[in-house]
Amino acid sequence: MPLGIANVSPLAQARSSGVAGAVSKIVYKATELRAVAEGQYQFVASDESVDRMGDVIRVSGWQLTNYKRNPIILFQHQSDCPVGIATKVWVEGKALLCQIKLAAMGTSPFIDSLRMLLDQGIVKAVSVGFAPTASPNYLRDKQDQVTGYEFIAQ
């Protein structure tokens, strides 16, 4: 489960195969950002609310063991753009929370800019990327039309 600092990006790839779970899903939500120390921030990474694609990610399904072995934070899920590490990732109630530590000021002009944008509240979201480990359930509206997926294991 990579976590990433995010701006809004297209999610079409997650549904392009026509089979939910056939590709990784990346979820973008505006979250509550809280600075906890110099260069360290805490976010709600995911919760059980309906996301922009009409999907729900059940918190009980998060499998974090492998991610915690190498908790790299990527910028917009780009594997060639690590910006920090997750110092803590945990489930609390119906939310997946993370505390991240960005690379030190002076590491690069990009890191310096990102830290300043976070401090000013201009960038204020993280996203989760995952591959479902179980088939998701369909979410349906009152007319029985599929409106999204309920991811139950990831």
Side-chain angles (χ1 to χ4, degrees):
M1 176 210 62
L3 283 171
I5 303 291
N7 290 326
V8 178
S9 295
L11 299 176
Q13 180 183 5
R15 294 177 185 262
S16 64
S17 68
V19 178
V23 296
S24 293
K25 178 169 175 55
I26 299 173
V27 178
Y28 297 91
K29 291 184 181 182
T31 61
E32 182 180 325
L33 160 68
R34 184 169 64 95
V36 294
E38 176 68 29
Q40 295 186 40
Y41 309 88
Q42 184 173 308
F43 293 90
V44 174
S46 181
D47 59 28
E48 294 191 356
S49 62
V50 177
D51 69 19
R52 293 178 185 185
M53 296 302 293
D55 301 328
V56 172
I57 305 169
R58 294 293 172 211
V59 172
S60 61
W62 285 112
Q63 299 167 18
L64 302 170
T65 303
N66 285 338
Y67 178 72
K68 287 180 176 182
R69 290 182 183 138
N70 188 28
I72 299 297
I73 300 294
L74 303 173
F75 184 75
Q76 293 195 350
H77 299 271
Q78 298 174 41
S79 62
D80 62 345
C81 195
V83 295
I85 61 168
T87 56
K88 185 177 178 183
V89 180
W90 72 102
V91 170
E92 187 173 296
K94 298 286 185 184
L96 176 67
L97 291 97
C98 66
Q99 186 168 312
I100 66 171
K101 178 180 178 184
L102 292 181
M105 286 290 282
T107 299
S108 72
F110 178 73
I111 294 291
D112 295 352
S113 295
L114 179 58
R115 288 173 67 128
M116 288 184 274
L117 291 168
L118 282 161
D119 288 342
Q120 295 173 57
I122 295 168
V123 172
K124 55 187 170 217
V126 296
S127 62
V128 293
F130 63 90
T133 58
S135 295
N137 299 320
Y138 291 115
L139 296 175
R140 298 179 182 275
D141 63 17
K142 291 178 182 177
Q143 290 76 37
D144 203 34
Q145 298 296 311
V146 174
T147 59
Y149 298 104
E150 174 190 32
F151 292 94
I152 57 172
Q154 55 280 341

